[in-house]
């Protein structure tokens, strides 16, 4: 299916109409009571704490852009926040305040901020054109990319930490982007072994 972003309102309307058209025979005669949708935030919100209220999970924007995954981050952010509240309230003996909740944000951002930064960069570089997506597909054939991707997904934080591998990947990324940006005709369709 098509990937549609929030900025493409006409595309979203076209997508919604397509769904209505495909479902027309099943919903014939029914009344539309309300049409609504809310995009899932794809990046941490600019403010997540106000007084004694805090956003966690999807509401805080803890969704990975590339995959749309969010359940792990929803549960983890809720648990980390609860642990901070219990600790800072002295097991419920004192009322927490914004500073207590900000402690949770510093811990969260310290642990998962780099993950969101890398995913944001990946989306800005590789999800911008067909040529960039082709480049990304080519990079995914690299064993190092597969290992780092798998480890990052498994441990939910950016993995790698191999400076030589990272430099090779950086060079491969630049050369692949250049190749596909300047290619006049697409490569033939590859067959899977």
């Amino acid at each position: 299916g098509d990937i549609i972003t929030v900025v493409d309102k006409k595309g979203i309307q076209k997508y919604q109409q397509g769904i209505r058209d495909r479902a027309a025979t099943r919903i014939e005669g029914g009344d539309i009571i309300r049409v609504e949708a809310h995009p899932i935030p794809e990046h941490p919100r600019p403010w997540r704490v106000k007084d004694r209220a805090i956003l966690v999970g999807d509401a805080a924007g803890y969704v990975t852009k590339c995959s749309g995954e969010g359940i792990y981050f929803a549960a983890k952010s809720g648990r980390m926040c609860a642990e901070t509240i219990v600790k800072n309230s002295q097991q419920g003996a004192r009322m927490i305040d914004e500073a207590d909740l900000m402690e949770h944000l510093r811990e969260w951002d310290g642990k998962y901020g780099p993950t969101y930064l890398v995913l944001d960069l990946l989306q800005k570089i590789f999800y911008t054109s067909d040529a960039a997506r082709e480049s990304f597909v080519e990079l995914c054939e690299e064993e190092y990319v597969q290992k780092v991707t798998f480890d990052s997904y498994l441990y939910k934080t950016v993995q790698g930490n191999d400076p030589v591998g990272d430099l090779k990947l950086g060079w491969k990324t630049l050369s692949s982007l250049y190749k596909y940006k300047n290619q006049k005709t697409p490569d033939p369709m590859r067959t899977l072994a």
Side-chain angles (χ1 to χ4, degrees):
D2 294 335
I3 296 174
I4 299 175
T5 61
V6 175
V7 296
D8 186 8
K9 291 184 181 186
K10 292 286 185 198
I12 291 171
Q13 291 169 348
K14 183 179 172 185
Y15 178 72
Q16 289 171 331
Q17 187 58 52
I19 291 172
R20 286 188 197 102
D21 293 345
R22 283 192 301 279
T25 58
R26 285 175 254 155
I27 61 173
E28 189 174 327
D31 293 326
I32 295 176
I33 299 169
R34 177 177 45 193
V35 176
E36 66 180 349
H38 182 42
I40 297 173
E42 296 178 326
H43 53 275
R45 304 309 244 173
W47 63 265
R48 293 165 280 165
V49 173
K50 179 74 172 158
D51 299 325
R52 294 181 337 177
I54 187 166
L55 299 176
V56 296
D58 288 358
Y62 300 153
V63 177
T64 58
K65 284 184 164 195
C66 297
S67 68
E69 180 192 359
I71 191 64
Y72 172 84
F73 297 105
K76 184 69 172 181
S77 65
R79 181 178 186 124
M80 286 175 67
C81 183
E83 289 168 350
T84 301
I85 290 170
V86 168
K87 179 185 82 173
N88 289 349
S89 70
Q90 300 164 355
Q91 310 296 329
R94 113 173 169 45
M95 184 59 68
I96 60 157
D97 59 20
E98 189 169 321
D100 295 315
L101 297 175
M102 290 302 292
E103 180 181 320
H104 160 67
L105 286 187
R106 285 189 296 278
E107 181 184 4
W108 176 267
D109 290 345
K111 184 166 185 164
Y112 296 106
T115 301
Y116 287 98
L117 176 66
V118 167
L119 292 173
D120 191 44
L121 287 171
L122 284 174
Q123 185 152 352
K124 286 179 179 169
I125 293 170
F126 294 112
Y127 288 27
T128 55
S129 68
D130 288 339
R133 283 186 284 278
E134 286 296 323
S135 174
F136 186 65
V137 168
E138 181 178 83
L139 290 173
C140 289
E141 293 175 352
E142 296 289 317
E143 186 176 333
Y144 182 69
V145 171
Q146 293 172 20
K147 179 185 180 336
V148 169
T149 301
F150 179 78
D151 289 348
S152 297
Y153 183 80
L154 182 65
Y155 301 111
K156 305 299 185 203
T157 57
V158 178
Q159 302 295 306
N161 305 320
D162 174 5
V164 173
D166 292 341
L167 283 172
K168 286 180 184 176
L169 179 58
W171 176 252
K172 175 86 174 170
T173 300
L174 292 174
S175 60
S176 183
L177 285 168
Y178 179 80
K179 169 188 162 186
Y180 283 102
K181 184 175 173 55
N182 295 302
Q183 192 174 30
K184 300 297 178 207
T185 58
D187 287 342
M189 186 67 92
R190 294 180 230 159
T191 55
L192 298 174

